Amino acid sequence: MTLNRNTAVDSFLESLDHPLKPVIERLRVAILDADDAITERIKWRAPSFCFNSVDRVTFNLRPLHHVQLIFHRGAKTIEDDFPFDASKWSGLLEMIGQDRGQVIFPSAEAAAAQQDEFVALVREWVRA
């Protein structure tokens, strides 16, 4: 069992009505297991994952036909260099800004097939 789970996120997910809820729950555990320093909370009406108290990965739960995760550097733009090679992750991560990207899983099968690569991406992103 993941030790860095937050009971507020547990409660939120219990009441979540989303057709891909099992995928969301599986990705939540994968993110928390990616690095012991990752914590979670509810922010912007979705689970958000923090590293050093800065939100770094957040679910966007509005689309019901896929699972979308936004990779960011927190709520405020950080002006320093961002040492992250997005080209390494081009099959999984789509950059939507200089310091912001997204991962979209259209199905449970797609999420399962790319889970190991996704976990590696999370590890690298939060520490960049």
Side-chain angles (χ1 to χ4, degrees):
M1 180 175 179
T2 303
L3 298 177
N4 46 350
R5 290 172 85 119
N6 180 320
T7 57
V9 177
D10 289 336
S11 296
F12 177 87
L13 290 175
E14 282 176 22
S15 64
L16 180 66
D17 182 21
H18 193 288
L20 294 170
K21 182 177 176 176
V23 178
I24 294 163
E25 291 173 331
R26 187 169 48 248
L27 291 171
R28 172 201 185 194
V29 171
I31 292 167
L32 291 173
D33 287 347
D35 191 307
D36 289 342
I38 294 174
T39 59
E40 65 178 352
R41 63 183 171 162
I42 298 298
K43 188 162 186 179
W44 302 304
R45 296 186 182 170
S48 187
F49 303 90
C50 304
F51 186 79
N52 291 332
S53 300
V54 176
D55 291 287
R56 299 304 304 272
V57 178
T58 304
F59 278 100
N60 177 358
L61 300 175
R62 284 172 293 204
L64 297 178
H65 60 284
H66 63 251
V67 174
Q68 180 182 25
L69 295 111
I70 304 299
F71 284 64
H72 52 91
R73 298 189 68 202
K76 295 179 182 176
T77 301
I78 301 170
E79 297 298 332
D80 60 353
D81 289 333
F82 184 41
F84 180 80
D85 181 8
S87 65
K88 177 179 173 182
W89 305 101
S90 63
L92 182 62
L93 178 72
E94 175 191 358
M95 293 304 291
I96 54 177
Q98 274 191 305
D99 61 354
R100 187 171 301 263
Q102 69 179 355
V103 171
I104 295 175
F105 293 113
S107 66
E109 296 78 20
Q114 294 183 291
Q115 185 165 321
D116 290 343
E117 183 181 10
F118 175 75
V119 169
L121 166 61
V122 169
R123 279 189 191 116
E124 187 170 321
W125 182 270
V126 300
R127 292 197 173 268

